[in-house]
Amino acid sequence: MASTKKIVQCVPNFSEGRDKQKIEQIVNPFRTTEGVKLLNYSNDEDHNRLVVTILGEPQAVKTALLEAFGIAVELIDMTKHEGQHPRMGAVDVVPFIPIRNMEMDEAIELSKEVAEEIGSRYKVPVFLYEKSASAPHRENLAKIRKGQFEGMAEKIHEDEWHPDFGPSDIHPTAGVVAVGARMPLVAYNVNLNTSDVAIADAIAKRVRHLGGGLRFVKAMGVELTDRHIAQVSMNLTDFSKTAVYRAHEMVRMEARRYGVEVVGSEVIGLVPMAALIECAEYYLGIENFSMDQILESRMME
């Protein structure tokens, strides 16, 4: 008999990618909370960012997230934080994704419960974003984050940027956070054989939706200083409408105008199997392929 248990995914991003001891302290609640499964966590020293992926029952996920949030607020000082990835808080963003026996409306309600608790318990201002947004101009995370931590103290007092929950001033060391519900997202980065981040930026501007590129792609250029290369860092907000291979090939195409080549790519966190199957179909030219032909998929029936 199929389970009727509600399952939600949460992918909180923390502004700490270098201190392994702090990372383990932040991740620990996701390991120890009953009803929560820690699927993956990865840190990037250049981005100075930690991405955690968990699954579980809504209230258990809420409990673990709030505990980890408190640890991050205690350990991370944004006045000393530096990294390649844009950020505005110790916990930068907290998305909830309905996975099983759960509607988007329920994920939205959960995000609002968590947002209200964050504001009251930790005194960190909260912006609702994506499907949870309280106004159209707040749906896009990039618009909320513009100005980053350094500019948020002034931005938060503008009429259109008052927080949805929490105090009207930023937390002095933890900044602000965005909380919301969204569709599954694929974080996909493409590496280039150049150290010139201006080239990666130019490519990103042409690939992303705001620059006239692919509808469900957000992109920016990043410098990977330890590897002496630049990267086009992308979020595919709906891989079913903008496939991973399409984003990859557009980066490759735009790179040619600068005499630059793609030298690799990476997935941050977890990726839906269907997204990779689309890539296999495209690059291998497989005809009439279906999920039923995936061995592991049949084993889980």
Side-chain angles (χ1 to χ4, degrees):
M1 183 177 177
S3 173
T4 58
K5 189 180 296 184
K6 296 181 187 295
I7 298 295
V8 67
Q9 183 184 44
C10 186
V11 191
N13 286 216
F14 301 88
S15 297
E16 177 55 72
R18 297 169 183 169
D19 189 318
K20 298 295 174 55
Q21 186 175 0
K22 288 182 180 179
I23 289 169
E24 292 303 316
Q25 287 179 260
I26 292 168
V27 171
N28 192 55
F30 302 123
R31 292 193 180 99
T32 57
T33 303
E34 186 175 352
V36 173
K37 183 175 180 61
L38 175 61
L39 297 179
N40 178 267
Y41 68 102
S42 60
N43 63 293
D44 187 294
E45 294 191 4
D46 289 306
H47 289 208
N48 200 5
R49 195 172 182 85
L50 167 68
V51 179
V52 180
T53 305
I54 60 172
L55 275 178
E57 300 171 60
Q59 290 307 307
V61 167
K62 175 182 174 181
T63 297
L65 185 279
L66 288 171
E67 184 179 348
F69 197 106
I71 294 170
V73 169
E74 182 180 340
L75 296 179
I76 299 172
D77 184 349
M78 294 303 295
T79 66
K80 301 176 182 176
H81 182 276
E82 295 180 349
Q84 294 292 325
H85 200 289
R87 76 289 181 269
M88 59 184 179
V91 187
D92 192 58
V93 59
V94 180
F96 292 95
I97 305 102
I99 297 296
R100 190 173 72 191
N101 300 324
M102 193 173 185
E103 300 297 326
M104 180 59 74
D105 286 348
E106 295 174 284
I108 292 170
E109 184 58 35
L110 177 63
S111 72
K112 291 179 179 178
E113 288 179 18
V114 170
E116 184 174 17
E117 187 71 19
I118 287 170
S120 61
R121 188 188 301 190
Y122 299 116
K123 310 305 177 190
V124 173
V126 183
F127 293 102
L128 296 173
Y129 83 113
E130 282 282 355
K131 303 292 185 182
S132 305
S134 56
H137 71 279
R138 297 180 180 225
E139 291 179 13
N140 189 331
L141 179 62
K143 289 186 178 180
I144 297 174
R145 197 191 273 142
K146 188 174 182 180
Q148 300 196 54
F149 171 75
E150 289 77 10
M152 200 58 64
E154 292 186 16
K155 179 178 179 177
I156 203 171
H157 293 296
E158 296 175 10
D159 289 341
E160 61 180 12
W161 289 112
H162 292 312
D164 292 291
F165 293 99
S168 56
D169 292 304
I170 70 167
H171 189 286
T173 57
V176 303
V177 63
V179 178
R182 62 164 173 77
M183 294 291 290
L185 174 150
V186 177
Y188 182 68
N189 303 330
V190 178
N191 298 332
L192 309 170
N193 67 341
T194 178
S195 60
D196 189 347
V197 72
I199 292 177
D201 269 328
I203 295 169
K205 286 177 182 177
R206 291 184 172 91
V207 171
R208 66 188 179 218
H209 176 56
L210 288 177
L214 298 171
R215 173 63 182 86
F216 296 97
V217 171
K218 300 176 181 179
M220 64 180 184
V222 174
E223 182 183 5
L224 303 184
T225 53
D226 61 328
R227 297 178 60 182
H228 307 293
I229 60 174
Q231 177 185 84
V232 179
S233 179
M234 295 180 285
N235 281 342
L236 279 64
T237 57
D238 189 341
F239 72 87
S240 69
K241 295 189 172 88
T242 297
V244 174
Y245 71 79
R246 199 170 296 138
H248 183 94
E249 291 301 324
M250 189 166 181
V251 170
R252 190 198 305 275
M253 178 184 70
E254 292 293 340
R256 289 194 188 113
R257 72 171 69 202
Y258 303 101
V260 169
E261 295 181 357
V262 170
V263 293
S265 64
E266 63 178 349
V267 171
I268 303 299
L270 302 185
V271 59
M273 186 185 298
L276 298 182
I277 288 174
E278 281 189 316
C279 293
E281 288 180 297
Y282 177 79
Y283 286 110
L284 300 179
I286 303 174
E287 297 181 5
N288 304 315
F289 192 70
S290 75
M291 187 73 79
D292 290 339
Q293 292 174 266
I294 301 294
L295 175 61
E296 288 80 3
S297 177
R298 299 300 294 271
M299 289 171 61
M300 291 186 291
E301 292 179 352

